[in-house]
Amino acid sequence: MRLTTLRAAALGVALLIPTAGLLAQDAPPAPETPVEEPNPSGEQPAPTPEELKKEPRDPLEIYADLNLFGEIFDRIRAEYVDPPDEQELIRAAIQGMLTSLDPHSGYLPPQDADEFRQDTSGEFGGLGIEVTMEEGTIKVISPIDETPAARAGILANDFIVELDGVSIQGLSLDQAVEKMRGPIGTDITVTIAREGVDKPLEFKLTRATIAMRAVRWSMEGDVAVLRLARFSAQAYIGIENAIKDIYAQRDGVAPKGIVLDLRNNPGGLVDQAVYVADAFLKQGAVVLTRGRTEQESARYDAEPDPLDAQLADVPLVVLINGGSASASEIVAGALQDHKRATLVGTRSFGKGSVQSIISLGPDGAMRLTTARYYTPDNRSIQALGITPDIEIRQVVPAEFQGRDEIVGEAGLAGHIKIEGQEESTVGSSVYVPQEAADDAQLQYAIKLINGEETNEAYPPKAE
């Protein structure tokens, strides 16, 4: 089972919630008892939606509807003004059927299915260069260790000007990245402009398997900051390696505290969410899932292991915001319910459903919502989100004000509703400053751990 990746724009912009009050009103007058009108024609009224739900439809009726689909398909093929692509027609019909269910179900054509598998696996065929767009040119942020780019000598701050002898001027960042990716073992020539070097440098590289870096870490004084960007298959191993490196850098001394940054993390794989939560928990439920079938209903538990034993006495603060969705909310909810961490930031996105990716072989895959998930305390966050223990808002620059908030799941057309459950009606901020010094949420979390700020929610107290 997988939680679908909700794609987030990498602008560094994001959003959150005040609660609206309800006004008491006089009760409306009771409706008059309806009088049944005579029905001289003898015709039966059309069944109401409620009546249709009670009685399962006759299979013959269902197949009659499929005949209707076939009739329309044939009329389009025969009479549409231009000859249509029949395969695309059928795929569009499948897509429409799936997207009519909820915003997260859908059809993945073969290329999209391959890209999705790369996204969730965290691995792809490429060069190992982290890049950004700067004034219309592609700039190297850094080569990833032990990759073709690093071994060839490509450096941070290099500018990529050509790929296989063709200028990349005018390409978007995504288009340039797509050209650098490709089948493992294939060659590409990368032309680099480097400051202080008169002539462009050419590097002939062979694409290899690249593991995307899911976790970055830094030390802010004695406080470790772990930024988890997505819940790909590299998430838990990224956390484990980061902790190992932090202790190695500090000669085995534990950090004063850990800040786990899940802001604008769109989610990913359920099992990775469980593993990451388990890194900080020694026992108890992490998440509960409930679906129509028995195999879609499960309880995932944390278990004692050397990592959570090592971190047992290290204080933990988790940062969330309006872009923290899905697997991020599973981790944040579990750590909050178990009183293992204090949550700081703004309300999360509110995606409380699980999608299974069902392979269709050469025809791609389908993404189908198969379960809802609940936190250990049996909370559903669907269309509501997780409220942080301490709400801290960022100072939003003037150019982003009014554009830094999203309503989240509750704002998506056709989202799954839970009867009787409250939904978010206002936005939550997703803005995160580029510089750590300007990041009010991060700085507050660090000050909490250092004792420079106090709040009754920190440290969390087990009941």
Side-chain angles (χ1 to χ4, degrees):
M1 258 186 306
R2 294 175 175 176
L3 289 176
T4 342
T5 306
L6 181 70
R7 296 191 176 274
L11 295 176
V13 172
L15 40 139
L16 189 106
I17 162 179
T19 305
L22 298 178
L23 297 177
Q25 297 179 339
D26 292 336
E32 295 180 1
T33 303
V35 178
E36 188 171 318
E37 294 291 333
N39 184 11
S41 70
E43 293 182 1
Q44 296 298 316
T48 65
E50 289 74 17
E51 290 170 336
L52 287 173
K53 284 182 182 177
K54 293 176 186 174
E55 298 276 341
R57 293 187 68 200
D58 189 303
L60 292 176
E61 293 180 26
I62 296 171
Y63 288 115
D65 287 345
L66 289 176
N67 287 336
L68 173 63
F69 172 82
E71 180 182 345
I72 292 172
F73 179 69
D74 286 341
R75 294 295 290 267
I76 292 171
R77 292 177 65 210
E79 300 176 26
Y80 185 66
V81 63
D82 294 315
D85 183 326
E86 287 93 345
Q87 185 182 58
E88 287 306 311
L89 279 178
I90 293 171
R91 286 180 173 178
I94 293 169
Q95 185 69 275
M97 178 168 55
L98 286 165
T99 56
S100 72
L101 299 172
D102 66 79
H104 307 296
S105 295
Y107 171 64
L108 299 172
Q111 183 176 349
D112 292 351
D114 288 342
E115 290 176 359
F116 182 84
R117 279 189 283 270
Q118 286 185 5
D119 198 27
T120 53
S121 70
E123 294 184 341
F124 58 91
L127 308 177
I129 310 174
E130 295 183 338
V131 294
T132 188
M133 180 73 80
E134 188 174 286
E135 297 180 356
T137 58
I138 307 298
K139 181 180 179 180
V140 177
I141 298 173
S142 68
I144 300 171
D145 293 341
E146 301 301 318
T147 64
R151 286 191 287 267
I154 291 177
L155 304 177
N157 298 320
D158 282 348
F159 288 91
I160 299 173
V161 294
E162 291 182 358
L163 295 172
D164 279 336
V166 179
S167 171
I168 61 171
Q169 187 70 30
L171 294 185
S172 69
L173 182 61
D174 286 344
Q175 289 171 327
V177 169
E178 188 63 28
K179 285 184 175 294
M180 286 187 280
R181 292 186 181 184
I184 295 165
T186 57
D187 294 335
I188 184 173
T189 300
V190 180
T191 304
I192 294 289
R194 180 174 294 169
E195 187 176 352
V197 178
D198 295 335
K199 295 181 179 179
L201 305 173
E202 281 193 359
F203 298 86
K204 187 173 181 180
L205 306 177
T206 301
R207 294 181 179 94
T209 300
I210 307 299
M212 288 185 284
R213 193 179 297 171
V215 179
R216 295 178 181 277
W217 67 273
S218 62
M219 294 299 301
E220 298 287 334
D222 288 329
V223 177
V225 179
L226 276 61
R227 164 70 184 148
L228 178 54
R230 64 181 67 201
F231 283 86
S232 69
Q234 312 300 318
Y236 172 73
I237 191 68
I239 292 288
E240 189 177 44
N241 287 339
I243 296 297
K244 189 183 300 181
D245 291 346
I246 289 165
Y247 273 79
Q249 180 178 297
R250 295 172 57 81
D251 297 324
V253 178
K256 192 171 184 179
I258 293 175
V259 177
L260 178 61
D261 188 353
L262 299 179
R263 293 173 299 178
N264 296 335
N265 181 320
L269 304 176
V270 171
D271 59 354
Q272 291 298 312
V274 174
Y275 298 152
V276 169
D278 192 5
F280 302 98
L281 297 171
K282 66 178 180 180
Q283 62 185 11
V286 172
V287 64
L288 316 170
T289 64
R290 296 181 194 141
R292 282 177 65 188
T293 63
E294 186 175 341
Q295 59 265 35
E296 297 297 343
S297 299
R299 168 179 165 139
Y300 298 84
D301 287 317
E303 296 180 357
D305 57 60
L307 185 55
D308 60 58
Q310 183 181 30
L311 300 175
D313 297 324
V314 180
L316 179 63
V317 175
V318 176
L319 301 181
I320 60 171
N321 69 1
S324 305
S326 195
S328 299
E329 295 172 295
I330 286 178
V331 172
L335 297 175
Q336 186 180 50
D337 283 0
H338 283 289
K339 307 297 183 186
R340 176 62 183 92
T342 297
L343 272 53
V344 171
T346 55
R347 192 197 69 243
S348 66
F349 188 87
K351 181 179 177 292
S353 61
V354 179
Q355 283 69 46
S356 294
I357 306 302
I358 301 166
S359 174
L360 302 174
D363 293 318
M366 62 186 286
R367 185 174 56 222
L368 187 67
T369 299
T370 53
R372 295 181 176 90
Y373 72 77
Y374 298 80
T375 73
D377 283 352
N378 208 30
R379 293 186 292 157
S380 169
I381 58 89
Q382 173 63 19
L384 179 62
I386 288 177
T387 301
D389 300 300
I390 306 171
E391 182 179 355
I392 300 293
R393 294 175 176 270
Q394 301 281 13
V395 178
V396 180
E399 63 267 29
F400 294 137
Q401 287 179 5
R403 298 188 294 118
D404 70 311
E405 294 193 352
I406 57 174
V407 175
E409 180 80 7
L412 299 180
H415 69 271
I416 295 173
K417 297 179 182 292
I418 297 180
E419 187 176 351
Q421 178 165 306
E422 179 188 356
E423 293 190 353
S424 302
T425 57
V426 294
S428 174
S429 180
V430 296
Y431 176 72
V432 178
Q434 299 252 337
E435 300 297 327
D438 300 328
D439 189 338
Q441 294 163 346
L442 174 61
Q443 293 303 321
Y444 184 89
I446 293 169
K447 288 177 181 178
L448 267 183
I449 292 171
N450 285 329
E452 299 167 33
E453 292 277 2
T454 58
N455 190 290
E456 61 182 12
Y458 180 86
K461 301 174 180 65
E463 296 175 355

